[in-house]
Structures are given as C-alpha cells and as structure tokens.
Amino acid sequence: MFSTRHLLATALTCTAALALTGQANAQYTSGQVNVSGATLFYDFFTYAASTNDYIDVDGDGLAGSLGTFPPPQLAAEYGTAAFSSTFYTFNYRGVGSGNGLAEMRNYQLARLDGRSGGLPTSLAAEGGIINQVAYVDQTGAIVPGVGNASNPGGSPVVQTSIDIGVMDVPTSWFVANPTATAASWSARPGDASYGTNSLKTTTGQGNTLKSLNDGITATPLNTNTASPDDHTVYDTTIAWVPIGFIANPGTGLEDVKMTELQHLFVTGRMPTGENLQASSRDSGSGTRNGAMNSIGVDPSFGRGDNQSAKTDSDVNDILGPDYTTDALGGSSRMEGTVQNGRLAVGYTGLLGGSRAIADMEGGKYELLNVMKDIDGDGDGNPDGNTYVRPSAANIINNADVNDGWQVGGSETFATVGDPNASRDPSDPLYTTNPKMANETAASYINNIVDSIANFVSLPGDPNNQGSPGELLVSNYTLTAAIERIAVDGIDFSQTNPVYNANVNSASLSALSSTLGSVDATGSVGAGRVPTRTSGITYTDGNVNDEYLDVDGNAVAYGASGLSARNHIAGDFNNDGARSTADVAQMMAWANYRGLGASPSSVAKPESGTGLVVEIIGDFNGDGNFNEDDVRYFADGLYIDGGKLNRGAAFEAVDTAYGANFFGTTLANGTYDAGDSAADIAGSADGPSMGGKPTGSDGIVDALDIDYVYANFGDFSILDQAVYMDLSADMNGDLVVGQSDVDWVVETVLETAYGDANLDGVVDTLDSDIVSTNFGLAGLGWAGGDFNGDGVTDALDQAFISIPGDLNGDGFVGLDDLDIILTAWNQTVTAGDPSDPSGDGFVGLDDLDIVLNNWNNGTPAAAASNTPEPASLALLGLGGVAIIKRR
C-alpha cells in the first residue's frame, strides 16, 4: 500500500537523473483535474504555487526545473481572462477523506464498467475550490457569483471525472476488511474485521469504514500493487499531517494518556467513568481515522459520545437545542464544538490558520500534552512515560517517543492507475503499471512529487512564486521531512524510507517561524465565552447574545479571556477543581433558581465574583442550568476516590437539596435519598452509552432492572466497556453486575426476585405471569425473566415456586404429581419441571420433593386431591423412602 513511498525514495536518490536542466518529461494534454476528499489540505489548494509548473507539464519550455522564476501557472485563477485558456481546470471538493475516497471509487468503477454516473450530486460539506477560488465556502454554502447550484456539487463548471481521492491517511487505513472475525476496538489496518464496527449512534449514524466496492459493480477496486490490474488503487504520499488532541479549558485537562483517550473515544467516558464530552468526527473523516489509529483504536470504534447523526452546519457547534457532539462533518465543526462545549475533548489538525496550534494561541481551547503509554512497537511494554505537547521541533524530529510527536497520518493522493506510468519512458520513475485514465491528473501529481524531490531552498514568496514542493515545505510537514512514520498508526520503530535531511532542515525552519513557541503547559486560561443560539430565552433570563452573571452583568458571547471564576465546569465552590465537594453549592443554586420537584426559598448563594451559572453548570450543552445538568453531574461527574460513584452522587444531590430532587417515583417501595440513581431507562429518547444521560423516565420499574442486566461488564476492560452504559453501575465499583440488580430490586424497590409485577409480594399473580410466558424470550423482568438471561424458564420459576409446585400454580397437589409420573424413570434436560432435584433423572428424589410439600400453598379453586390408584402405589414407594431416610 505504500508503493509511492518507494517511488519517492527512488526520486530522492535520482537527483542526477532529475537534475534541473536534464529532466525527461512526458508531454501531457490540458483538461480537468478533479479532486475530492480531505479538508485538512484545503489551504494547499487555494495557493497559486500548488499548480505552478515545475516539470514543464505543458511543454512550452518554461518551468521551474528549467530555471524559470517564478514558475508559470498551469491553473489560471478562475474569473480572470486567462482562465478561458488555462492548462488545468482544477476542482477540489472538501468532503472528508473517506467520502473523497468513496467519490473517487464510485466514478472510477462506473468508468471501468462502461456506464455513466458516479459523479458528485450534492454540495461539498466543507469547501469547494476551482483554480484557487472558492465556489462553496467552508460551511457548505454556495459562494455568490462563483458557485452554480444547478451543477452537481455547486461547481461553476460541470465536472467530468473524479480522478484523485485525497486523504489524511493511506488508503489501507480507510478500507474496511469484512471477515467472520468479530470486530475489535483495537484492530489495526489490514487486520481481520478492521473497520467493521456495526454499532450505530442513538440516531442511527453508522461507523463502519469505506469499501472499495460500490455495491453495483461485480469487480471492486483493490490495493494489490504487487500484481496490479486496471482496478488497482495507488497511493502517492505527499505530506505528514500531525493531529492534536484539544480540550475546552472547562474540562480541567492539560495532560492525558493515550489509554485514557482510548477509553474516552471508544466509550464516551474516561477510565474513571467521568463523562467528559467525547467529540468525534464522522467515520468518513481522515482526521478521525488518523487520530484514532495513532492511539491504537480502530476508527470505526472511535464513536465518542455516540448520539448524533452526521452534521455539516455550524449551527450545530453552538450551544442550545441543536448542539451536537459527535459525527461532526468537518474540522471546523470539531473546532467550534470544542470551543463552546465546556466539557469537550476532541482532535483536529495541528497546522493551519484555524487548526489546533493557532487556535490554542488564540485562546480558543487547550492543546493537550499526550503520553504514549501504549505498546506501539510490539515489545510488550508501553512506549512512553512522558507527556509531550506538539511543537515545530518534535513534529519534525519525532523519533523519541518521550519527546517527539507521534500522532497523525500521511496525506495521500489515491488514484486508480499509477501516475508514474504516464511519465516519459526515459524518466527513472517511469513504470509499466496500468495508467490513470486521466493523464492530465497524473501530470498534476507528478509535478508535485518531482518538485519535492528536487527541493533546494525556499524563495521569498513560496505560496505564490514557488514550486508546489516549496509551498509544501513552507506550510506543511512533508513526508520526507520527518524522522519516523508509522506504518499502522502506532509503530514508529522503523526509520522513514524517504527521509531527506535538506527537507527536514527547511521544514523545521519554516514551521518554527510559523508556529513560534508552544508552551509546555496550559496557555489559554479559562478559554473563550461559549456561544449560544440566538433568539432563545435561557435559564439566566437572557435572550440577547450574551450571558448574565450572578449580579446581572452581561458577558458577551465569544469574548476572549473568560474570567477565572468560570474556568472549570462544575466548580461551584470555587476551589479550582470539579469534585464531590461542589454538590452542596450546586444544589444551593438549584434551590435558588427554583429547580427540582420541591424547591425551597434560599438566599443567593454567591455574588460579586463574576460567576456565570449557565457556563460552569451547563454540562449537556443546551445553554441552560437546569435539572438535566444536575442529573449529568450525578450520573457522570461525581468522581469519588478516583472513580465515578453514581449511587453516592444521587444521594448527595437529594441530601443537599433536602428532598427528592428529580421527583422520582417507584413502582414499589418508599423513596429514599439517592434512589433516583436507578432511573436509567424508559424515556422516549432511550438511554445512550457515553453521552449525556437520556434514559430516565421519572419512575424506577422493570425497565430499569432490564437495562442493568443488559449492561453487565467490567468498565476497566475496554473489550467489555465498549458495549456498556456505565449509567447502570449503581454501587460505584465500575462493574455492572448482579449486585447492581440487587440494589435496584431489594434496596430501591424493596421487593424480592420473583415479583414480576412489582407489587411488593411474590405470589400467584407472579406465578401466573411466569406460567403464561414460560419458554418465551425477550420479555424481561415484567415477563418473568428474573435472572436476566433473556428467557422465562424454570430458572426464573424457581424464584417464585413453592418447593414441589412444578406447574407454578401456587399449590402442591395432583397436577404436580402427574408431572412426575408422566416422566417417571426418564432422563431429562436441565431445567425440566419434572426434575425438581436437578439431577437429570426423574425418580424418587423428585417424588420426595412433591410429597414433602404436599398440600402446601393455596389451590386456585376447590378440588379433590385424592390420588388415583396408580399414584397411591408411587406415594407408597415415596413414603417408604422417606421413612428409610428418617
């Protein structure tokens, strides 16, 4: 899959053959070059130098390699007079890496099949560019006067192909590998079942990675470059795209371990159970792919909060009713979401005007120090033991895991056909592999690759007057510049085969100038004031574009330098941390605001400090401080002794409030402080793993018992945690098990196993439910499944039956004896009602159980219980056996 790394390595060793004045070039034809994919390379396509002629593509004898400076432009700016006769009509659609790969696949398969179709039909999610000019902006809107909504994708000209899928990672990282093997969160690219996680968000958004089959053609694309055919995909690796993990200062995070990030993005919670907001891109994102692969997570499992459908609009970045945290359709979506969500943790590209480092320096969010405490090199030990924050030096010189930055992916141009096959046969890089169908697009790639291979130094204006390679060195981190590149995302033990010391030196100089100094510790203070949706009256009473602090002072949306009093989300007691000690003050504000089922009148808890309750108390991102936020705190932020303790949290809420805060009712029993912890299921929205708690319906009943059963597992074991909702942990041990069911049934509902109707007694009504549903599956506690194994059977019947009551009618009599007689001397399967002794054989031991309990219980109606003659004989046998035992 890394075939072009070899080609680039060859290019870097052939400077004599590729000398500036003696290069052998093919003669290419003019036409369209259509690219679809990654958003992180957006800026590159806007610079004039990206299409400056280095290898004399048009054969006019004027090119950078021939000494022409500045090099001629192959793609004259759209809208100018020169555009009408330009050599390239270059068109880029920023739809995300995976979606770009899919668009290239769809077109190329249609072309190979000889059928029409496969061209884009919708607007780009995040930007469209034609010859340096945007026709769709980065919010997905048509640019007036440039874009044409009548054309597919909004392009000013109708696109005739999709030639290149540009991705932030290699093709193999983006292609799912369906097999019979169960999907695993830790699968690496190429592993069995990699990319095949079938779990969807609560709104039905899928997470599986892309396929090289469009579902139409009989012959899909392939990655077999060793034995290529006309369906083979080739990767041209251009640059290294470093990715940073970012966090809103409200999280209180500065240092984070990769194992913690694994838990957060796979389950939506930290290993402690703390429910931070795990913001994720959609599964078609190269940034998600690179970030997840870099921490050892199969990207299809990097779901984050796992609640949303894919969103492309910046409306969804703003706190309020439309705020979403996952399946985000663009880097700007991620950045806006993390900037506004006070508990948000996410990831984005490090470099660029609106990416991690620049935004950190602008005070928008924190750039996290990351410890690589996972085993990437396969030696059985964690690779690193030091927290590392990315900087110019350690992005470029990244060999030392305790100093270098090893999070990112390789910017890759994926094509069907080898661009090098379109070179002049005398060119050392020429191959006889299958060609690209559009050789104009092949020339575009070769022009970039050769300009990198022959890089000498930077001109005064590399963005405009330089070659594509000089532009890349000035603004990006070329593959040839860095010491190490991971083949599978986490193993950086191999040296970079295309490393070039000259490119390394120039890139370090350029990047250092661009980035300046990156602090090793937190640098953004409390961050920016979050932005809320306009036109809504929030719980602070404000409908304008501002918050109101506790003294009624306005705090404008988006303002830099949020006051220190509002730094940490949940820090109600102003001790600089979010902890269990904040509950009392949080509930004082709840009382003051009139929240809860029985609010009492209290004095204002705090004044004169600049506190904005709607900033430190808005945990779910709706712009308010209300009952939902109190539940969020109790369900996911009450960290006691290093781990979440939900039961203690809900009890603390009720105790501090002085009443049943949520007004929770019980199907049986008397409400005690903290019983609301058991209300986790039954709502119309349904429960959700990892995101904000959405399952409560105001009553603790059989649905809650069933949900606890459905989430059994040990949260510390990520193989189990990925399928768990930790809201089902009642006793704070981070394990959901039988003890949690016991607490709901026996402590909260004050009843016993076997009480199907939850009326507080185990009686014939419950027995009738079991009898009616005997052998049926999926009916839950209310249907008589008391042990949570999914079926109502003898094991459940045992919870309510009188010993010897084999038919479950609440009385031991002839009907039960007949069950024994009918199966007498037979071998039966486990759980058969005729075998109450459970030894697998119907005989005297079973008969004794019936006889020893004869006439126990209450018969359903008066009836004779005089045994038949045949029964009397057996009764005699049983009596003899009883006498002997006695």
Side-chain angles (χ1 to χ4, degrees), residues 802-807 809-821 846-859 863-876 878-879 882 886:
I802 299 169
D805 178 18
L806 306 187
N807 66 350
D809 65 357
F811 181 74
V812 182
L814 285 178
D815 291 339
D816 307 296
L817 181 61
D818 286 344
I819 291 173
I820 296 290
L821 298 182
D846 306 296
L847 180 62
D848 284 350
I849 292 172
V850 173
L851 297 182
N852 284 331
N853 293 281
W854 192 259
N855 276 343
N856 282 349
T858 303
S864 171
N865 281 292
T866 303
E868 296 294 330
S871 300
L872 286 171
L874 285 175
L875 283 170
I882 294 170
R886 292 176 178 173

Side-chain angles (χ1 to χ4, degrees), residues 583-608:
V583 172
Q585 193 76 349
M586 177 176 69
M587 299 316 298
W589 277 107
N591 258 318
Y592 178 74
R593 290 288 190 83
L595 303 182
S598 305
S600 59
S601 177
V602 298
K604 184 189 294 186
E606 179 180 331
S607 62

Side-chain angles (χ1 to χ4, degrees), residues 18 258 268 288 418 457 479 552 577 619 636 652 658 720 753 815 819 854 873:
L18 294 176
M258 283 194 178
R288 167 169 161 172
D418 185 352
S457 63
T479 306
F619 305 123
Q720 298 178 29
Y753 286 85
D815 291 339
I819 291 173
W854 192 259

